[in-house]
Amino acid sequence: MVKSGNNSNNEKKVFKPNYMLVEEAHVKNWEAEIEKGKDIEKYWAEKAEQFEWFQKWDKVLDESQKPFYKWFTNGKINLAYNAVDRWIHTDKRNQVAILYANERGDEKKLTYYELYREVNKMANALKNLGIEKGDTVSMYMPMCPELLVSMLACNKIGAVHSVVYSGLSVGAFVERMNDAKAKVLITADGTFRRGKVIDLKKIADEALLKCHTIETTIVVQHAGNPIHMSELSGKEIFYETLLEGEPDECPVEEMDSEDPLFILYTSGSTGKPKAVLHTTAGYMVGVATTLKTVFDIHNGDLWWCTGDIGWITGHSYLMYGPLLLGTTTLVYEGAPDYPDPGIWWKIVEKYGVTKLYTSPTAVRHLMRYGSKYPTFYNLSSLKILGSVGEPMNPAAWMWLYKNIGNEKTPIMDTWWQTETGMHMITPLPVSPLKPGTPTLPFPGVDIDVVDKNGNPVPVGEDGYVVVKKPWPAMFRTLYKDEERFVNVYWKDIPGGFYRAGDMARKDEDGYIWIQGRSDDVLKIAGHRVGTSEVESAFSSHPAVAEAAVIGKSDPIKGQVIKAFVILKEDYKLTTKLISELQRHVRYELGPVAVLGDITQVDKLPKTRSGKIMRRVLRAQEEGKDLGDLSTLEE
Ligand code: ATP
Ligand code: MG
């Protein structure tokens, strides 16, 4: 019997699985699947069997050089082959693989067969430019089909991609290109953002002045933006011209399971972004398995992940996961509230989206506009919703459940990281849900909440989230910084566990409630208080749209809570509301919630992937240097 959560401010209800979904679910018995997953090697080997290997592995898991784990050793495989080529010999050949749409209402469809030929052409073109197995290709592109084609073309020939989020500034972009010593840069004439065209080529030109490894720049003509082709750094060529005359067949590079696949940076919420390296086979197996199981992907699904390809969510679950499962992935270029806050729901209705994967920050943003917009559209195609990126506070969970899911679609609150590559703590469609928790570790993943000595904490107590055993999609190192890899993640907690950097609490059902980053935790009168719980308490008040809290030094309590709140339309932060909020939060959390001041703000400092940067609020408060701001939103 599942009991309710232990966070005082959380929705007490338990949501039973929707029996219609359970009937068709790949996993019908959660407990049994978790039990099966306890034999980690057997579990993941079985999943790996579902792909096409050129040569099978010798060993599922090699632990001889901890923490430099290896998966599926000596296996030979190619990711693009499994994501694209494999399907053209099946009835998926003419099915849409990529459905591109944008804020202007344009659309473009690529079937698996069309994608196959386009990838081959691009792969041949890259080879002609001198790109060989192991070389790095940088991409600074909009959300457009050519980005996916380019990433897959890299896979096909064994090149490593490094995608730089197209909203990043020149400085961060240069650093990433120089880091990777990329030989080729792929960019575009522009990207659509809120009715304007952002000139990406101009930013790329500026970056190229400071980057000396790029030999060729490929420019996709995407936005109809008249641009200037220069020869700033090597050759510049249009994508279309480059592909002209290239054969649409290209031999597949047989990659070792452990060959590098891509480099990608973390969001930079808690400090300077870290360059994470993922390798081929384990990543592929982990990502495809989790997507299939958590979102129960079947023939006929239309999958929409609203994240950007420039972050891990986009890599794993906008592009690789869905293509590896042979489903249709929607690539949408545009903001959630432009031209109006109903645009996402319009897209859901127009294309009949069945599974929607988004983030708490997007939901909280859309909530501010109230619940009228979703009512303008028919959202009945939706079967499962999902979220990633930050704790999904119960108020946002309920809003999504009621207004978008019509109280029928379960919400998969998935906890994972750039480093983990795949979902780690997450419900499945058969799981009883409690708003505010990602529930239990995915089968085959061994996670616990422990104290600083590595011992599991009792129910209801705070501890560190650790992964106790290796998992297939784990990052293999921080790019060119093995020392930092070992020190940041594997040293702090004894037992050889991976330290995720988040704090959490378990309830009586073992459900894990993420409390926030260990760097952000407050210490009030000797008690550790997670940011998530306090922010959830604020957000559960009808006047509050979003909140962020930090600890402020206090001579008596050590720290007290300083809160920054964004109020919903029509509210003002009067003295009356301040005292009401104080009472409300104290009621929700108990006496430990000692509030200092509450400040009203219009915006919170966030990363470009939408995460609150509490470290910036803290630094501002203490008059300190703001630190690395390369991923801060405008
Ligand atoms: P950096 O490591 O540079 O500080 P980051 O940790 O924000 O940036 P990501 O890898 O994009 O970079 O994010 C992973 C983090 O996001 C997790 O450690 C966790 O704090 C948060 N997170 C992701 N999903 C969830 C979730 N479902 N519930 C709670 N927190 C989540
Ligand atoms: Mg992190």
Side-chain angles (χ1 to χ4, degrees):
M1 180 59 201
V2 176
K3 298 177 207 80
S4 65
N6 61 335
N7 279 17
S8 52
N9 62 317
N10 287 312
E11 187 75 26
K12 303 292 187 297
K13 262 205 269 17
V14 176
F15 292 79
K16 291 208 191 98
N18 173 339
Y19 73 94
M20 306 251 284
L21 289 174
V22 174
E23 246 167 48
E24 63 177 35
H26 293 300
V27 168
K28 294 193 173 55
N29 184 329
W30 197 21
E31 285 86 3
E33 190 71 10
I34 289 175
E35 200 49 43
K36 234 172 95 185
K38 288 195 172 146
D39 187 341
I40 284 182
E41 293 188 36
K42 185 162 171 241
Y43 186 79
W44 290 109
E46 248 170 51
K47 305 296 177 194
E49 295 283 359
Q50 296 166 18
F51 297 92
E52 284 190 30
W53 295 78
F54 303 120
Q55 179 184 304
K56 225 178 127 176
W57 58 90
D58 305 335
K59 244 180 143 204
V60 180
L61 173 62
D62 176 357
E63 301 189 85
S64 61
Q65 290 166 56
K66 289 175 190 177
F68 298 95
Y69 296 96
K70 294 193 181 95
W71 282 85
F72 309 111
T73 55
N74 292 323
K76 299 279 179 271
I77 197 159
N78 183 288
L79 203 159
Y81 182 88
N82 275 280
V84 184
D85 304 24
R86 184 161 57 127
W87 304 122
I88 67 160
H89 309 294
T90 69
D91 57 5
K92 290 189 193 287
R93 180 185 172 96
N94 298 320
Q95 182 201 303
V96 174
I98 297 171
L99 169 55
Y100 163 82
N102 67 23
E103 62 177 39
R104 308 186 335 160
D106 309 327
E107 65 179 46
K108 196 170 163 184
K109 292 177 183 170
L110 275 181
T111 65
Y112 273 96
Y113 186 46
E114 286 164 338
L115 179 62
Y116 168 78
R117 285 177 295 175
E118 186 87 354
V119 168
N120 286 340
K121 284 186 179 184
M122 184 61 173
N124 286 322
L126 288 174
K127 280 209 276 196
N128 289 341
L129 293 176
I131 294 295
E132 292 172 1
K133 184 175 168 183
D135 285 344
T136 308
V137 176
S138 275
M139 295 166 202
Y140 188 71
M141 292 172 81
M143 294 270 283
C144 63
E146 291 83 356
L147 172 55
L148 286 82
V149 167
S150 303
M151 291 163 80
L152 290 160
C154 285
N155 297 170
K156 186 114 194 200
I157 62 172
V160 179
H161 58 69
S162 170
V163 177
V164 179
Y165 173 63
S166 66
L168 287 193
S169 63
V170 175
F173 178 18
V174 170
E175 201 176 5
R176 282 154 171 71
M177 270 198 295
N178 283 338
D179 240 19
K181 302 228 175 331
K183 283 190 184 172
V184 167
L185 168 69
I186 310 172
T187 185
D189 60 357
T191 181
F192 304 112
R193 214 166 280 162
R194 301 177 162 278
K196 290 198 193 112
V197 174
I198 310 284
D199 190 339
L200 292 181
K201 174 68 169 49
K202 202 168 135 210
I203 303 172
D205 280 348
E206 237 179 281
L208 283 167
L209 290 172
K210 293 184 196 136
C211 171
H212 308 293
T213 59
I214 300 289
E215 292 163 10
T216 312
T217 303
I218 302 167
V219 185
V220 176
Q221 285 164 293
H222 169 72
N225 190 26
I227 51 156
H228 174 68
M229 290 295 266
S230 55
E231 299 280 317
L232 278 173
S233 172
K235 195 163 89 187
E236 301 206 335
I237 186 162
F238 284 120
Y239 175 92
E240 288 221 339
T241 319
L242 181 74
L243 264 58
E244 248 165 48
E246 284 296 348
D248 57 15
E249 290 293 335
C250 172
V252 190
E253 190 71 39
E254 295 195 4
M255 303 299 287
D256 186 89
S257 293
E258 283 298 335
D259 275 333
L261 183 68
F262 65 80
I263 305 164
L264 187 66
Y265 290 76
T266 60
S267 298
S269 314
T270 55
K272 186 175 157 60
K274 300 173 278 279
V276 160
L277 178 80
H278 279 285
T279 61
T280 308
Y283 175 79
M284 191 178 107
V285 173
V287 164
T289 304
T290 46
L291 179 61
K292 181 173 169 181
T293 320
V294 174
F295 287 94
D296 215 36
I297 301 297
H298 293 277
N299 281 340
D301 264 325
L302 184 69
W303 168 255
W304 185 16
C305 164
T306 66
D308 193 283
I309 303 185
W311 306 109
I312 192 68
T313 301
H315 275 52
S316 296
Y317 297 114
L318 192 156
M319 147 135 172
Y320 285 124
L323 297 180
L324 284 164
L325 298 175
T327 193
T328 304
T329 186
L330 176 65
V331 179
Y332 180 70
E333 183 187 8
D337 57 356
Y338 181 87
D340 67 59
I343 183 64
W344 276 12
W345 320 127
K346 186 176 177 181
I347 298 274
V348 167
E349 176 185 273
K350 179 170 180 194
Y351 296 109
V353 172
T354 56
K355 316 271 162 87
L356 175 73
Y357 192 30
T358 186
S359 64
T361 191
V363 175
R364 289 193 294 256
H365 183 73
L366 291 171
M367 271 171 83
R368 269 192 244 171
Y369 300 103
S371 40
K372 82 172 180 234
Y373 286 100
T375 64
F376 300 160
Y377 302 97
N378 178 352
L379 305 179
S380 62
S381 60
L382 288 170
K383 287 184 169 181
I384 300 182
L385 304 172
S387 153
V388 58
E390 288 190 299
M392 183 70 162
N393 54 301
W397 198 104
M398 288 309 298
W399 187 89
L400 189 68
Y401 185 70
K402 285 196 178 134
N403 295 288
I404 309 305
N406 194 21
E407 305 194 15
K408 283 198 194 82
T409 53
I411 299 172
M412 302 294 119
D413 176 358
T414 62
W415 178 94
W416 60 294
Q417 307 176 299
T418 312
E419 294 90 336
T420 69
M422 65 183 220
H423 300 146
M424 299 295 277
I425 310 175
T426 174
L428 308 184
V430 291
S431 315
L433 303 174
K434 305 178 199 178
T437 162
T439 73
L440 298 178
F442 187 79
V445 172
D446 190 356
I447 288 189
D448 206 346
V449 183
V450 303
D451 61 21
K452 63 181 189 325
N453 301 315
N455 301 313
V457 294
V459 168
E461 276 182 29
D462 294 325
Y464 303 96
V465 177
V466 294
V467 193
K468 293 184 150 177
K469 293 200 185 120
W471 65 102
M474 65 197 299
F475 66 143
R476 300 308 197 255
T477 189
L478 288 180
Y479 188 61
K480 291 186 187 157
D481 200 350
E482 293 192 344
E483 203 181 309
R484 192 167 174 218
F485 169 71
V486 175
N487 290 337
V488 171
Y489 302 101
W490 302 95
K491 276 263 174 77
D492 271 11
I493 301 204
F497 303 155
Y498 167 82
R499 187 185 69 99
D502 285 8
M503 306 280 305
R505 216 178 273 172
K506 284 179 290 187
D507 68 15
E508 45 283 79
D509 298 305
Y511 280 24
I512 296 171
W513 297 76
I514 305 291
Q515 304 294 312
R517 317 303 188 106
S518 45
D519 292 5
D520 291 342
V521 158
L522 325 178
K523 222 166 182 188
I524 304 172
H527 297 280
R528 277 197 303 237
V529 181
T531 51
S532 157
E533 201 178 11
V534 187
E535 289 163 6
S536 280
F538 272 101
S539 307
S540 66
H541 188 282
V544 178
E546 192 157 24
V549 299
I550 58 170
K552 189 178 163 186
S553 313
D554 179 87
I556 300 163
K557 303 279 180 187
Q559 279 186 331
V560 294
I561 299 166
K562 161 135 194 159
F564 299 85
V565 295
I566 299 178
L567 298 182
K568 286 192 190 144
E569 281 174 345
D570 309 331
Y571 284 94
K572 277 211 180 80
L573 194 68
T574 54
T575 343
K576 184 163 165 270
L577 183 56
I578 291 180
S579 60
E580 202 181 305
L581 284 172
Q582 276 169 334
R583 259 194 325 240
H584 174 78
V585 171
R586 221 175 154 81
Y587 172 77
E588 293 288 337
L589 298 176
V592 75
V594 188
L595 281 170
D597 33 333
I598 302 176
T599 306
Q600 184 182 354
V601 291
D602 291 335
K603 260 187 155 188
L604 290 167
K606 284 188 181 171
T607 66
R608 291 187 185 256
S609 52
K611 292 154 188 265
I612 299 173
M613 293 166 102
R614 295 174 197 80
R615 66 177 167 99
V616 172
L617 293 171
R618 264 197 314 271
Q620 256 169 355
E621 192 63 27
E622 293 161 9
K624 288 192 183 147
D625 176 48
L626 297 184
D628 184 296
L629 298 181
S630 59
T631 58
L632 180 71
E633 240 176 22
E634 276 156 64

